[in-house]
Amino acid sequence: MNQGTLYIVATPIGNLGDMSPRAIETLRQVNLIAAEDTRHSKHLLVQQGVDTPLQACHEHNEAQLAPRLIERMQAGESIALISDAGTPLMSDPGYRLVRAAHQAGIRVSPVPGACAAIAALSASGLATDRFLYAGFSPHKAAARQQFFRELSERTETLVFYESSHRVVASVEDMLQVFGADREVVLAREISKTFETIHKTMLEELPGWLQNDANQQKGEFVIVLQGAKGDFDQKTLSLEAVLVPLLGELSVKQASALAAKITGIKKNQVYKIALELNSR
């Protein structure tokens, strides 16, 4: 018997017109739809004329559920995975099921569609050739600031998700960690009635948000300019120091010495030393 397929199906993030014909047809044809929240997804499926059975698959039951779903696909059934909105696994459940499917030799097929992170990036006017999707920042202030500090020297454009409960605190922490002179885009309620794409400098964003309570509501993507070119130059100088040191010392010893010489943080030096050592 042929095995079934696990389809990863993107659903709209706001405007129902973004539901693709292929996504609708896939959801109609599979034997089961694994959904993050069946109550939420039921409304979408009814609107699209889909009556395929639903199974809840969320962070609390995914590990236990995955083996049963794998067994069904091994027996020939096909299953579609959807999240509450957008592309599954983008800060949503599904990783365990997809990984288990690969391990079992089951075909995994994406059905592309809406993704808030990519939509915001495409409209940001910031560099798109290299970007880092960082997802949601931690809830607590100290952990959130440390999270931002670990990203502060990355030169790629940074993409974050944020909730209405923490968006003001998060942009204030961003300003404190990343500094005032970075461009930033706040994308709110993408594809919905009150969509906002607001581009400014990071020093201006906290005040702009605080002055308009309506802009603090909804779902957010924050797109932040990466570290500027002076860090690129530091990295080049660091490599010039590291290369001869790696020829004589261990990665750990070379990193420690190079950090003292250049003044660059030890963890950043160590990462670059590992990359150089693997070439």
Side-chain angles (χ1 to χ4, degrees), residues 9-11 18-28 50 111-112:
V9 181
T11 56
D18 293 335
M19 188 76 171
S20 75
R22 182 180 170 220
I24 296 170
E25 186 63 22
T26 300
L27 294 176
R28 286 174 177 166
V50 177
V111 180

Side-chain angles (χ1 to χ4, degrees), residues 97-158:
L97 177 59
V98 173
R99 184 173 178 82
H102 280 292
Q103 291 173 337
I106 293 168
R107 178 179 173 234
V108 179
S109 178
V111 180
C115 175
I118 298 302
L121 181 65
S122 71
S124 70
L126 296 175
T128 58
D129 55 333
R130 294 173 66 239
F131 66 91
L132 187 149
Y133 169 69
F136 285 95
S137 62
H139 294 192
K140 295 185 178 180
R144 185 168 56 241
Q145 291 165 10
Q146 179 59 31
F147 174 73
F148 290 148
R149 279 194 290 271
E150 291 172 358
L151 297 170
S152 62
E153 294 177 339
R154 300 296 295 254
T155 57
E156 310 98 317
T157 299
L158 303 175

Side-chain angles (χ1 to χ4, degrees), residues 24-100:
I24 296 170
E25 186 63 22
T26 300
L27 294 176
R28 286 174 177 166
Q29 290 184 349
V30 295
N31 301 96
L32 180 73
I33 299 171
E36 183 180 1
D37 185 334
T38 55
R39 294 168 299 178
H40 176 91
S41 297
K42 185 68 176 178
H43 297 297
L44 171 67
L45 298 178
V46 168
Q47 289 171 326
Q48 302 296 340
V50 177
D51 59 3
T52 305
L54 279 169
Q55 165 69 59
C57 182
H58 46 72
E59 61 180 333
H60 302 297
N61 75 344
E62 184 184 355
Q64 293 73 34
L65 179 65
R68 301 207 303 270
L69 298 183
I70 294 299
E71 287 179 2
R72 293 184 64 164
M73 288 184 282
Q74 287 174 327
E77 293 187 359
S78 288
I79 294 174
L81 174 68
I82 63 174
S83 63
D84 285 352
T87 299
L89 279 77
M90 299 298 290
S91 291
D92 288 323
Y95 164 76
R96 292 181 177 87
L97 177 59
V98 173
R99 184 173 178 82

Side-chain angles (χ1 to χ4, degrees), residues 4-23:
T5 298
L6 175 61
Y7 294 97
I8 314 302
V9 181
T11 56
I13 55 177
N15 192 316
L16 294 179
D18 293 335
M19 188 76 171
S20 75
R22 182 180 170 220

